[in-house]
Amino acid sequence: QVLHLVAISKARTDFQHLHPRLDQASGTFKQQITFTLNGDYRLFATFSASSVPVRQDETKLNTTVYKDFQVGDISGYEPPQTLDINKSAAVSKGFIASFFFPPNDDSIGPTNTNFYAGHESSVLITVDKEGQSVKNLESYHGSLGRLTVIGPELELLVVNAIATDANNQTGLLTFPITFPKGGFYKLYLETQAEGQLA
């Protein structure tokens, strides 16, 4: 995809990752969006000025712009209740994605849940279905998983899972992330298995 759109409600409860189509006649990208909530949104467009592909199926994405706007009648709008900041698992289409916090030292002691701004961290996520690790994830934009990270001031980071042998999967995805500043972040995982995007 040459252009990616990410629509995120400022309450962070509505997230959509979309791929507009280029209208060759007008030279513009077009995309219909159904917003699920009234309120304040931010729409990101990520694209490349270069047509040189980095991978066979994807062009290098190196520019991001955004626009803030309002959806619906917000005269009586009350923001939805913020999700529990400690929520560490989510279910989509029968797939369960959970943070995996490894122990600090040789599998003994407390789990390592500390992240520091400005230093690369490894975020580990397990993918399960019906109590079993999912070991047949399929490539999604050149990776077995893509993590969209929304920062404390609605900054956007997109990180692909570290490449692993698709024929020797463990159900664990590793994402290298450098959080630019301290604060609360919301992470959205996109992955594909059995022909379903979850």
Side-chain angles (χ1 to χ4, degrees):
Q1 293 290 328
V2 176
L3 179 67
H4 295 254
L5 282 182
V6 170
I8 180 79
S9 65
K10 292 194 176 181
R12 298 184 179 145
T13 52
D14 185 15
F15 166 82
Q16 298 183 57
H17 178 186
L18 306 162
H19 301 126
R21 295 187 181 212
L22 176 63
D23 181 337
Q24 297 286 348
S26 65
T28 59
F29 289 90
K30 295 184 178 181
Q31 176 67 52
Q32 288 189 334
I33 304 177
T34 301
F35 296 100
T36 61
L37 301 169
N38 289 332
D40 293 317
Y41 275 79
R42 178 167 288 182
L43 183 67
F44 295 94
T46 304
F47 58 93
S48 174
S50 169
S51 61
V52 179
V54 176
R55 291 186 294 264
Q56 183 177 359
D57 62 343
E58 185 162 321
T59 300
K60 182 177 181 182
L61 303 176
N62 58 10
T63 302
T64 299
V65 295
Y66 68 86
K67 173 76 174 172
D68 292 333
F69 59 95
Q70 294 177 337
V71 172
D73 178 7
I74 65 168
S75 58
Y77 170 72
E78 292 185 14
Q81 183 176 358
T82 303
L83 294 176
D84 181 353
I85 63 170
N86 294 316
K87 182 177 180 183
S88 60
V91 179
S92 175
K93 300 177 183 175
F95 295 94
I96 302 172
S98 308
F99 283 104
F100 175 73
F101 297 111
N104 285 322
D105 299 304
D106 300 325
S107 300
I108 301 172
T111 56
N112 182 13
T113 60
N114 295 322
F115 299 103
Y116 299 95
H119 297 275
E120 185 173 293
S121 302
S122 290
V123 172
L124 308 178
I125 297 178
T126 60
V127 181
D128 302 295
K129 188 173 185 181
E130 298 176 354
Q132 301 292 321
S133 294
V134 177
K135 299 180 180 179
N136 62 339
L137 295 176
E138 301 158 355
S139 179
Y140 177 71
H141 293 298
S143 170
L144 294 181
R146 171 171 280 204
L147 206 58
T148 300
V149 182
I150 306 297
E153 297 178 17
L154 288 183
E155 307 92 331
L156 176 73
L157 298 170
V158 179
V159 184
N160 284 337
I162 292 176
T164 57
D165 181 357
N167 297 317
N168 192 25
Q169 297 181 39
T170 64
L172 179 68
L173 298 173
T174 302
F175 298 88
I177 301 178
T178 300
F179 295 101
K181 65 177 76 171
F184 292 110
Y185 287 77
K186 185 78 177 277
L187 283 67
Y188 295 92
L189 172 68
E190 293 174 281
T191 189
Q192 185 168 292
E194 302 169 7
Q196 284 190 313
L197 180 63

